Amino acid sequence: MDLGTCAVKIAQVEKVGSRYRLAAALVISRPEPETGGVAPDLPAAAASPSPLAWAQRTREELRRDFTGRRAACMLSLDRGELRPMNLPPGSPPERRAMIAAELSETYEAGLEGRVFDYWDARSAEGAAGSSLENVHVLSLAEADAAEAAAVLGRLGLRCEVIDGLPPALARAVAMAQPEAAEPVAAVDWGAHTATLCLVHQGTAVYTRQLRDCGFVALPSAVQRALGLSTHDARQLLCTYGVVDPSAGGDRWAELRHVLSDIVAEPVAALVAEIQRTLAYPELHRAGLLPGRVWLFGGGATVRNIAPYLRAKIGLPVEPWRLEGPGDRMGAEPVLMGPAAALSALAWE
């Protein structure tokens, strides 16, 4: 269960041989407050406007389409803190002690009321010899972790893991491209923040949040330019989208050109941040420049956005997807990557 800023995404995958299939998928959009602002992030907002009504409706859908009670969840990256560190060699307990000591210096109350975990970002050979930080630490307020588990509990689920976005994206990439040997980039184009994660050999080796690049800027621009509702603006982008530079014209070509012009500025902001990230000299020295971009999140639902970005970035861009009946359940597969990766924890 991916407890995102604007929607809750729930996925269940099954494994057939070495391949994963999307067995069930569900997206629950979060209502916006009456003031017109964006609903606050989870956990509490997951149940808006009525916790009991939300839980009851969702519980019924879970019973119909999903099996089992074991679950994993993930909060928006903005809910916690992702911090890269350079640590000397040591056993896992020794490293945890070093991380705890460094984090304690950051927070006024020390680590009281916070939980954390870490992963080694040097397990990929491409990062060997690099001066990039060798450990990534994700910390979260203990109250948020407890409330997220309580949300799942109200749905009759037993939360066994709270994961983070970078390792979930790394797992999602491996699910879609298990044979990949070269580094790839995973871009989660969320509603309010885009996150770029470099993945090598199944490990998230570098993560950067691309500020002021949220997907909501696109429908907002269409809404202002054409006087549409937010819903209609999003539908227009999903149904007709932007210009595909590699395709010929059709009867909707003029509309796509208009939409491309309208969203040119926010798309250019995303492209500039991606290019800025990939120009970081250390990535070149570490051999971590990606050969492909996997696209996740609401921004990936814009029609033709992958070839449009490919022409701007100069790298193959592909929306993430996983085959299976889940893509016929009214849930865009490209939205389900992190949620599917959470379900895949069952085999780890």
Side-chain angles (χ1 to χ4, degrees), residues 11 116 119 122 132 135 215 303 331:
F116 74 88
W119 68 92
R122 292 288 178 81
L132 289 170
V135 166
F215 162 64
R303 185 167 183 173

Side-chain angles (χ1 to χ4, degrees), residues 119-122 136 165-167 170 197-200 202-207:
W119 68 92
D120 190 341
R122 292 288 178 81
H136 291 179
L165 179 61
C197 186
L198 292 180
V199 178
H200 192 207
T203 300
V205 296
Y206 181 84
T207 300

Side-chain angles (χ1 to χ4, degrees), residues 54-113:
W54 183 88
Q56 180 62 34
R57 185 177 72 251
T58 307
R59 187 184 295 114
E60 293 171 358
E61 295 185 72
L62 287 172
R63 287 174 177 171
R64 185 183 67 239
D65 298 326
F66 296 78
T67 61
R69 295 184 63 247
R70 301 175 61 209
C73 75
M74 183 183 76
L75 295 174
S76 165
L77 197 56
D78 290 336
R79 298 292 292 185
E81 183 196 25
L82 178 65
R83 177 181 299 196
M85 295 183 183
N86 264 322
L87 297 182
S91 65
E94 289 171 335
R95 284 192 151 190
R96 291 190 71 85
M98 287 185 275
I99 293 169
E102 184 165 335
L103 290 179
S104 294
E105 296 177 359
T106 301
Y107 301 103
E108 186 174 340
L111 271 182
E112 184 177 353

Side-chain angles (χ1 to χ4, degrees), residues 74 163-175 204 296 337-342:
M74 183 183 76
D163 204 5
L165 179 61
L169 288 177
R171 205 176 306 114
V173 166
M175 293 167 71
F296 299 79
L342 293 171

Side-chain angles (χ1 to χ4, degrees), residues 242-245 260-261 263-264 267-268 271 303-313:
V242 293
V243 172
D244 180 351
S260 298
D261 289 341
V263 302
V267 173
V271 169
R303 185 167 183 173
N304 297 331
I305 195 64
Y308 186 87
L309 289 175
R310 176 175 185 164
K312 302 287 185 182
I313 299 171

Side-chain angles (χ1 to χ4, degrees), residues 219-231:
S220 294
V222 173
Q223 181 182 10
R224 290 192 301 269
L226 303 182
L228 301 175
S229 67
T230 301
H231 176 268

Side-chain angles (χ1 to χ4, degrees), residues 232-299:
D232 288 344
R234 292 193 180 191
Q235 285 296 110
L236 203 60
L237 288 169
C238 293
T239 303
Y240 301 101
V242 293
V243 172
D244 180 351
S246 62
D250 59 24
R251 60 177 179 157
W252 303 112
E254 185 175 351
L255 174 58
R256 291 194 179 101
H257 278 285
V258 170
L259 292 174
S260 298
D261 289 341
I262 292 173
V263 302
E265 185 175 343
V267 173
L270 176 73
V271 169
E273 285 301 307
I274 293 175
Q275 292 174 330
R276 178 184 172 190
T277 303
L278 299 184
Y280 181 41
E282 185 55 39
L283 300 181
H284 294 253
R285 287 193 290 269
L288 291 175
L289 285 181
R292 175 191 299 266
V293 177
W294 286 97
L295 199 57
F296 299 79

